Amino acid sequence: MEKFEEISQTEALSKYKHYKHAAHAMLAADDPGTTFGCKRNAVIMMQMRFDGCIGFVGGLIDPEDDNPVDGLNRECVEEIALDLDKVKFEKENFLLCHIVHDYKLVLHFYGKKIPLKLFYEIEKRAVLEAEEWGNETLGLIRVPLSLFEQGDINKRFKAFLKHNFAGNAKRQLLTGMKMINVVPEDVYNKLLQGVDI
Ligand code: GTP
Ligand code: MN
Ligand code: MN
Ligand code: MN
Ligand code: MN
Ligand code: MN
């Protein structure tokens, strides 16, 4: 089993230049709606990948990319036809970096919150326009973040976490959603009850 170690991005980019680098990202939005009486709280975009695993949009940084964030934006155009005039990842959106020595791989992770209306537009455009739709990207998924008021309150989120995830995408999800305050802290704590990070 591969081991993901957290590393600073500066160290990863200087000391491990010879490794492969990939960058993935979380797009999230507040969602005021309810599902069967439960507040949805927020939406987070993930994808069903070509390999059957759930992951974030993004991919390997190519030689033509000047830096990880440029590579990330290019992959977002390929995988979901992201309109960079409307939503573009910036260096400031960096969240976490992990290294896997066994695979000589560095994984950069970014994230940001956007208005819900824009989130919906991105989803629709992906289906209609993305060059990788049906190939690398088999579908966009919204992470279920609603809670029951009693009983097994985080049943929906725990069921979601039982899927297979690419790389350390599950860890990126749990850590990233806290870092960019996808949901209020009390909701986050309830969602994570009984879940190991
Ligand atoms: P091509 O466009 O065919 O070059 O693929 P890609 O560049 O889109 O690469 P991909 O998204 O598959 O990512 C490359 C590497 O990152 C693979 O080793 C994956 O296992 C890993 N990976 C994929 N998705 C995620 C993710 O969401 N999080 C993390 N941490 N790793 C991921
Ligand atoms: Mn129905
Ligand atoms: Mn790709
Ligand atoms: Mn990819
Ligand atoms: Mn690629
Ligand atoms: Mn590709």
Side-chain angles (χ1 to χ4, degrees):
M1 187 58 200
E2 65 275 33
K3 194 163 164 282
F4 297 91
E5 283 173 41
E6 197 168 340
I7 183 171
S8 84
Q9 191 176 42
T10 319
E11 186 181 354
L13 290 172
S14 53
K15 213 166 142 189
Y16 298 99
K17 262 193 197 142
H18 56 297
Y19 278 29
K20 280 180 292 180
H21 287 248
H24 294 90
M26 168 189 287
L27 280 171
D30 291 327
D31 183 349
T34 58
T35 295
F36 300 117
C38 305
K39 279 189 194 163
R40 287 199 286 269
N41 296 305
V43 286
I44 295 173
M45 184 181 293
M46 293 192 79
Q47 62 166 324
M48 174 53 65
R49 292 162 44 90
F50 63 93
D51 60 5
C53 293
I54 293 175
F56 289 101
V57 294
L60 291 170
I61 307 308
D62 293 342
E64 84 228 35
D65 305 316
D66 288 339
N67 51 58
V69 87
D70 283 4
L72 170 64
N73 284 317
R74 178 190 49 73
E75 282 288 339
C76 287
V77 171
E78 293 173 10
E79 297 186 355
I80 56 169
L82 188 64
D83 182 347
L84 300 181
D85 292 331
K86 290 190 178 158
V87 176
K88 191 173 180 179
F89 290 99
E90 310 286 348
K91 290 189 172 67
E92 295 68 44
N93 302 130
F94 169 77
L95 300 178
L96 289 164
C97 195
H98 288 90
I99 190 160
V100 193
H101 292 290
D102 289 349
Y103 294 167
K104 293 197 175 357
L105 177 67
V106 175
L107 294 161
H108 303 260
F109 189 56
Y110 293 77
K112 73 179 200 168
K113 283 184 92 172
I114 57 174
L116 185 61
K117 191 167 167 281
L118 207 47
F119 189 100
Y120 290 161
E121 283 176 22
I122 295 170
E123 287 181 327
K124 292 203 179 91
R125 203 172 126 102
V127 179
L128 296 172
E129 306 280 344
E131 132 199 0
E132 290 297 347
W133 191 261
N135 189 37
E136 283 180 39
T137 301
L138 301 184
L140 289 182
I141 293 173
R142 297 184 195 179
V143 179
L145 299 172
S146 59
L147 288 163
F148 294 113
E149 273 166 23
Q150 51 196 4
D152 194 0
I153 58 168
N154 58 344
K155 182 177 170 178
R156 293 170 176 175
F157 188 59
K158 278 187 299 190
F160 178 77
L161 295 178
K162 288 195 180 121
H163 291 286
N164 289 314
F165 289 85
N168 64 340
K170 185 164 151 182
R171 170 75 60 101
Q172 288 171 329
L173 169 66
L174 299 176
T175 314
M177 60 190 273
K178 189 176 175 103
M179 293 178 81
I180 60 168
N181 299 308
V182 170
V183 294
E185 198 178 339
D186 61 315
V187 173
Y188 181 82
N189 293 336
K190 286 177 185 166
L191 283 167
L192 266 78
Q193 267 177 38
V195 172
D196 355 288
I197 282 219

